[in-house]
Structures are given as C-alpha cells and as structure tokens.
Amino acid sequence: MIIQAPYLVFLGDATDKLSIKMAQGVADWRAQLCIGETSVPGCTVTTGLEQMDIPRAAKLGAKTFVLGFANSGGYLEAKWVPYIQEALKHGMDVVSGLHDKLTDVSDIRQMAQSLGRQLIDIRHPSEKFKTGTGKERVGKRLLTVGTDCSVGKMYTSLAIEKHLKAQGVSASIKATGQCGILIAGGGVAIDCVAADFISGAVEQLSPDADSTHWDIIEGQGSLSHPAFAGVSLGLLHGAQPDALVVCHAMSRNHMRGLPHQSLPTIIDTIRLNEQAARLTNPNAKVIGISVNTSSVSEEDGIAFCQALSQELNMPCVDPLRMGVATLLESLAL
Amino acid sequence: MIIQAPYLVFLGDATDKLSIKMAQGVADWRAQLCIGETSVPGCTVTTGLEQMDIPRAAKLGAKTFVLGFANSGGYLEAKWVPYIQEALKHGMDVVSGLHDKLTDVSDIRQMAQSLGRQLIDIRHPSEKFKTGTGKERVGKRLLTVGTDCSVGKMYTSLAIEKHLKAQGVSASIKATGQCGILIAGGGVAIDCVAADFISGAVEQLSPDADSTHWDIIEGQGSLSHPAFAGVSLGLLHGAQPDALVVCHAMSRNHMRGLPHQSLPTIIDTIRLNEQAARLTNPNAKVIGISVNTSSVSEEDGIAFCQALSQELNMPCVDPLRMGVATLLESLAL
C-alpha cells in the first residue's frame, strides 16, 4: 500500500478536534507532504494547514484526497460522496480510514475505475499475508508497547524515527494503525488483519534490512487490555524487537473504554512485554519509558518522568516536552 | 451460523486420511448427524459412514452437503462445482471449510440464491462482532490450551463435553475451528476473525449462561507459537476460563511447521496460560493435562501420562486411551 503525496486533507464538517485526529497527525508529522486542508460550511476546526478548495489543491499538485475525519461508527456518509467524486475528477486518489469501504460505494468505485484512480481503504489491508515464522531477521527493530491503548505509541514512534534520522541513523517508521499509515505513506492496519496473520503481517512489514538499520515499529493496544491483547502479542512476536519502549499516559484510572478494568503497573508492563518478546528475540529489552503527560503542567509532567526514571533506573521522558534523546541513550547506534 | 443436520459428507477424490480430517471428525463425534458419505472414482479413503450418492442421501433426508476434504491451499477446484450444484438441486445447503469461498463462485451463488439454499463458508465468519470487554459472565467455562498447534485440543474438548453430558452435567461445546464448528453445528472460526475482535468474538460465542452450566471452549494455537500466539491470547481472554486443560502431543521435536522453534515445557505452558488468563478471570487454573500419545504404544502412552501426573501433581490422561474422568475430578460439578 503506497500513498502518493502531496495530500489534500478533508475535514468535512468536523467540530471536534478529536474527530480529525488523522488529519492532525499528518499535519503535525508530515506537513511537507500536505498541500492544504479543505472543509465544508459548519466545520469549526483546523489542522493549521492552508485552507483551499479541491480545484486549487489540484492545481497545486495534490495527488491524494484524504478523508481526515472519523465518526464513532466509522461510517461513510452519503453527503461526502460528491466531494470524493470531485477529487477523483481532479486527478486525485482517495484515502479513507473509515470502517466503511470506499470500494463498496458503487458510484465511487465506478468513477475511480473509469478514471484510473486508486481508492485506498487503509483499514482494510489488501495484501495477502503469510503466517509468521519467528525466524531471525537482519537489521534492528524498536517497538513501542503500552500500558493501555491510546497512550502515545504512534507519537513516540514518530519522535524516535525523527530523532534517529536527525542523528544520521538509517531508520524507518513502520506504521500499524490508520493514522500512522497515512503519515508514513504506507503500512498495515494490523487490527484489521485476519487473526491468523497478525505476526506474519508484521514480519512482512519489517523484513530483512541492513544490519545497522532501525525499523521503528508502531505498537497497538496493550498486553493487559482484554479486548486487544491478542493484537499486541502477535505484533510483538512479529516485530521481533531488539528494543522496546513502554508508553504510558498519566492520569488514567482504568483501561480505555473499560471502567471495570484496572491499569497494569509500568513494572508489570515491562516484565510482561520482555517475557513475551523473548519468544522471537531472546535479547529483547525495554530501554525506556515514554509518558504522555499532557494532562498535567509541564513542570509536573517533567517531575513525574524524573521520579519514574529514578524508580525504574531507566530513561523516562515525555517525547513532546523533553525529546527522546535520553530515551535512546542505551542503543548502540 | 447454524448448520442443519443431517449431513452428507463429500470426500471428493481424496487418497489421504489427513485430507479428510473434517469428514472424519464429524463421523467420529457426530455419527448420528451424518446420513452417509459420497465420493468420486479415485477416492481411496472412507470415514466408515455408509456410502451413497447425492439423490439417495436427499431421499434419506440429508439437509447439508459438507465438503469434508481439504487441499493444501484451501482451493475450491472447478471440478467440484457440479457436485455442489447437484446437492443444491436436491435441497441441501452446502458447507465448506476451504479458504476459497463458495459465495465467490457465481454459478454456485446464483443457484443457491434462486433455490433459497444456504452457502456456509465456515472459515469466513459472517457475524458482526464487538470488541471484547473482559466483563465477568455467569456460568462456568473450560478452555483447552496447548504446547503447540494440532495437539488434540478439539478432541479433548469434545471428549470432555461428552463425559460431562453423560454425567448429567449441563455442558456445551463451543467450537473455534472449522472441524469443531461442523461437529458442533455452529461456532466461530476464530483465526479468521479480524484481529481487533478475537476476544470479543469469543465473548459472543460463550455468553452468560446458567451458573452451573459448563461451556467447553475449543482452544487454538499456543501462546508459545510465533505465528498464532495472538489468536491464542485473545481466545484465552475472551473465554474467561475457570478451568484450563493443557494439551500436548508426545514425540514432537519442534513447534508445528517451524523446525527452528523449540517447544515450551508443559510447566512453562501452565504458568504462561494461568498468568495470562487471570487478566479476565482471577481464579483461572490449570486442572490437568491431556496428552496425545498416539505416536507410541498404549502401554508407553499410559506410562508417560502416569509419570507426568506424578511430576506435576495433577491429572494427566490421553482422552482416547484413558478417558477424561480423572481429568475433571477437581471440578466441583
């Protein structure tokens, strides 16, 4: 799955920052791949990208129209079909991260076919996967794991990739969720793969590479989440990571979406992930902790990380407030 | 997914007992649901069911035509289409456990539609699932887990269900693989569910029940298999088992299909499964071991089980040679 840049990001009539997470992610991490954003009357949010209509974006060279918003059911509402068709007519491919598939809407599918455009439903992997083998692969791999879902695994992975590249280290982000795939320009929506192929898909996503190259693999879910631990374990085995970074969000009282389910401790999360990872990489090791401290002041966030670092005797940072340099100190780069 | 009995089992031109595993499974465990078997010239194997042609089976009341064979790719070969059509014309639904879908063959799909017959691709779940919650459910649950794939989890589960029913205990088999689904007459092919829904699908498969009822849930894969551990973990969390039975096959030197991957010990398998299971059932406990000893003599098989039972201080049986009564002794029934 290859997504052609540059992108025109479509916000629809969104009024909630959370609902444009995908658009915001690509604007934050790949502004250089974005021509601008477009929306319809009623939209009250912005990614900060330049606003323009579809014809103007086409003139400026936009190659892909990105549905950058989500609703709770992941539905593709009929009111967006004309905008998608306009983008197709203006020479763009279309990317959607919704559950509903673009290719299931016959008006969209037929127009795309007749114009020779790609429809990319990034939640619906089109590749054929093999089952995993656990065989040792060449190259280095770092995987972000978590105490819970939505704790900053994608942002941490992207911050690490960015830092390594700035240091001249050969590194690639390997995306496993819809936002990450859009930002990386490719990847596999691992939670949508048939269960048999979770680890195999990750093996294909991060194949043999140069021995000094680092693949930074975006994690999903948590080994301690009753809904998603299977995804997390298959991803962990397929990733075969040399280094693990445990991600955590401050001020969370229970597992996401499950008020009855308590959070694991960070120590337990370290142990559980190292134990499981060693099935396919006996040297797998947690090298540090990444904390999303956005729920508290910068001062309190940094203090929390420092205390945790002392307690665990390993680096602990909020990547957005403190950078990731110290997190990576133990890697022999 | 409900499969209507009785079945006519189709063996095609199979010449290998292993390739008719699905037919043999249903003949072994649900002979009373089978009218007979049918095959084409060249077939050299039999399930032991009465042989008959499609018209005769229809006359005897067959409601479902079961493709009881498999080839290595799971392909639906064109040469079988006329047999499937003949069965449809004779009033039968059709069940397939192949990777290729019956509904993808237009000649089959159109005929089934016009005749009002069901096409059941048991490897392709048609239900909509929700993500798991891990919430406590009423009723008792036993899950078979394994040191590896294909070690006897289905046979053990079926033997336990049969024994409990014979004792007058309310019990149901909950099938998670294609053979088991055919035998049970329903279930979910859990390795074909989208990764996000593994545990949720198992929660739906084994919902709240009477407090004294036992669901016997067929396990899949192994927490120590690099390809399938994600499936096994999601299944374990969704099953929320009170009791676990560890299944093992004697005389195996490495994980199935992976000569480089060593087997876990039974002790490690007990620990790993109990630890993981306690996320959704704090009282989950391995109650015994089921060993497939078919690779050695009956005497050696029984001796192996007795030695293992002493070593682990828990019941250990080959269900087919020793029954499962001792395995279940610790259950308060």
Side-chain angles (χ1 to χ4, degrees), chain A residues 226 257-261, chain B residues 132-138 203 208 237-238 240 280:
Chain A
L258 302 177
H260 61 282
Q261 191 77 33
Chain B
T133 69
K135 277 186 196 151
E136 193 182 345
R137 311 198 289 288
V138 185
E203 291 181 1
D208 278 313
H237 287 160
Q240 200 177 95
T280 57

Side-chain angles (χ1 to χ4, degrees), chain A residues 99 123 131-136 190-200 203 223-231 233-234 237-238 258-262 272 275 279-280, chain B residues 99 123 131-136 190-200 203 223-231 233-234 237-238 258-262 272 275 279-280:
Chain A
H99 267 300
R123 267 195 145 137
T131 55
T133 68
K135 278 187 195 152
E136 194 182 345
I190 199 69
D191 56 3
C192 301
V193 167
D196 238 4
F197 300 104
I198 307 172
S199 69
E203 291 182 2
L223 289 181
S224 300
H225 197 293
F228 308 118
V231 177
L233 184 62
H237 287 159
L258 302 177
H260 61 282
Q261 191 77 33
S262 62
L272 206 55
Q275 177 196 41
L279 183 73
T280 57
Chain B
H99 267 300
R123 268 196 143 137
T131 56
T133 69
K135 277 186 196 151
E136 193 182 345
I190 198 70
D191 55 3
C192 301
V193 167
D196 238 2
F197 300 104
I198 306 172
S199 68
E203 291 181 1
L223 290 181
S224 298
H225 197 293
F228 308 118
V231 177
L233 184 63
H237 287 160
L258 302 177
H260 61 283
Q261 192 78 32
S262 61
L272 207 54
Q275 177 196 41
L279 184 72
T280 57

Side-chain angles (χ1 to χ4, degrees), chain A:
Chain A
M1 185 193 296
I2 303 286
I3 304 170
Q4 302 288 329
Y7 310 150
L8 173 64
V9 177
F10 182 47
L11 306 183
D13 56 4
T15 56
D16 169 12
K17 264 280 186 187
L18 271 180
S19 73
I20 61 159
K21 207 177 101 172
M22 200 157 121
Q24 193 65 55
V26 71
D28 284 352
W29 289 99
R30 293 292 186 272
Q32 75 279 13
L33 301 183
C34 300
I35 292 269
E37 70 177 31
T38 192
S39 55
V40 307
C43 178
T44 58
V45 292
T46 174
T47 60
L49 293 168
E50 188 187 337
Q51 300 194 19
M52 60 184 67
D53 60 16
I54 291 173
R56 175 162 163 74
K59 243 183 233 159
L60 292 174
K63 290 216 170 66
T64 298
F65 185 71
V66 174
L67 304 191
F69 56 89
N71 47 43
S72 69
Y75 303 115
L76 177 55
E77 292 173 88
K79 64 181 175 182
W80 307 130
V81 174
Y83 297 90
I84 293 167
Q85 292 182 311
E86 190 186 352
L88 288 169
K89 282 185 207 151
H90 280 86
M92 299 182 213
D93 293 340
V94 181
V95 166
S96 164
L98 299 172
H99 267 300
D100 283 349
K101 292 167 81 166
L102 293 167
T103 53
D104 283 346
V105 180
S106 60
D107 287 350
I108 297 175
R109 188 181 59 244
Q110 283 165 13
M111 184 180 283
Q113 271 171 350
S114 70
L115 296 172
R117 311 273 176 261
Q118 276 195 94
L119 298 176
I120 306 178
D121 287 296
I122 51 183
R123 267 195 145 137
H124 298 272
S126 53
E127 298 94 325
K128 286 261 173 198
F129 300 111
K130 294 184 177 165
T131 55
T133 68
K135 278 187 195 152
E136 194 182 345
R137 311 197 290 287
V138 185
K140 294 290 199 177
R141 287 167 190 85
L142 182 149
L143 173 70
T144 49
V145 297
T147 50
D148 194 3
C149 304
S150 304
V151 289
K153 289 183 283 282
M154 183 186 83
Y155 268 65
T156 302
S157 303
L158 288 161
I160 291 172
E161 184 213 18
K162 189 174 177 183
H163 178 82
L164 290 178
K165 284 184 163 163
Q167 305 291 307
V169 177
S170 170
S172 313
I173 182 81
K174 297 290 179 170
T176 59
Q178 50 180 345
C179 278
I181 291 170
L182 179 64
I183 294 168
V188 176
I190 199 69
D191 56 3
C192 301
V193 167
D196 238 4
F197 300 104
I198 307 172
S199 69
V202 179
E203 291 182 2
Q204 273 169 257
L205 179 66
S206 175
D208 279 313
D210 281 351
S211 60
T212 57
H213 178 84
W214 280 88
D215 271 350
I216 311 303
I217 304 173
E218 177 197 5
Q220 294 293 334
S222 164
L223 289 181
S224 300
H225 197 293
F228 308 118
V231 177
S232 306
L233 184 62
L235 209 169
L236 184 58
H237 287 159
Q240 200 176 92
D242 303 284
L244 292 154
V245 171
V246 170
C247 302
H248 177 70
M250 275 184 80
S251 315
R252 199 170 283 197
N253 301 315
H254 57 75
M255 295 303 272
R256 188 174 155 85
L258 302 177
H260 61 282
Q261 191 77 33
S262 62
L263 284 174
T265 65
I266 292 176
I267 284 271
D268 282 346
T269 304
I270 293 172
R271 285 195 197 121
L272 206 55
N273 278 279
E274 285 189 342
Q275 177 196 41
R278 286 174 185 164
L279 183 73
T280 57
N281 186 339
N283 301 314
K285 197 170 163 37
V286 171
I287 60 162
I289 316 295
S290 169
V291 186
N292 177 343
T293 68
S294 60
S295 58
V296 300
S297 72
E298 177 146 357
E299 194 185 343
D300 288 352
I302 292 172
F304 180 88
C305 289
Q306 286 169 341
L308 191 61
S309 178
Q310 282 223 312
E311 183 192 334
L312 301 174
N313 195 28
M314 62 173 70
C316 169
V317 301
D318 180 328
L320 298 189
R321 287 176 161 173
M322 302 161 71
V324 294
T326 55
L327 197 58
L328 305 177
E329 267 169 4
S330 69
L331 296 183
L333 297 172

Side-chain angles (χ1 to χ4, degrees), chain B residues 76-149:
Chain B
L76 177 56
E77 292 174 87
K79 64 181 174 183
W80 306 131
V81 174
Y83 297 91
I84 293 166
Q85 291 182 312
E86 193 187 350
L88 288 170
K89 281 185 209 152
H90 279 86
M92 298 181 213
D93 292 341
V94 182
V95 166
S96 163
L98 298 172
H99 267 300
D100 283 350
K101 292 167 81 165
L102 293 166
T103 53
D104 284 346
V105 181
S106 60
D107 287 351
I108 297 175
R109 188 181 59 245
Q110 283 164 12
M111 184 179 285
Q113 270 171 351
S114 71
L115 295 172
R117 311 272 176 263
Q118 275 196 94
L119 299 175
I120 306 178
D121 288 294
I122 51 184
R123 268 196 143 137
H124 297 273
S126 54
E127 298 94 324
K128 286 262 173 197
F129 299 111
K130 294 185 177 163
T131 56
T133 69
K135 277 186 196 151
E136 193 182 345
R137 311 198 289 288
V138 185
K140 293 291 197 177
R141 288 168 189 84
L142 181 149
L143 173 70
T144 48
V145 298
T147 51
D148 196 1
C149 304

Side-chain angles (χ1 to χ4, degrees), chain B residues 7-21:
Chain B
Y7 310 150
L8 172 64
V9 177
F10 183 46
L11 306 182
D13 56 4
T15 56
D16 169 13
K17 264 280 186 190
L18 271 180
S19 74
I20 61 160
K21 207 177 102 172

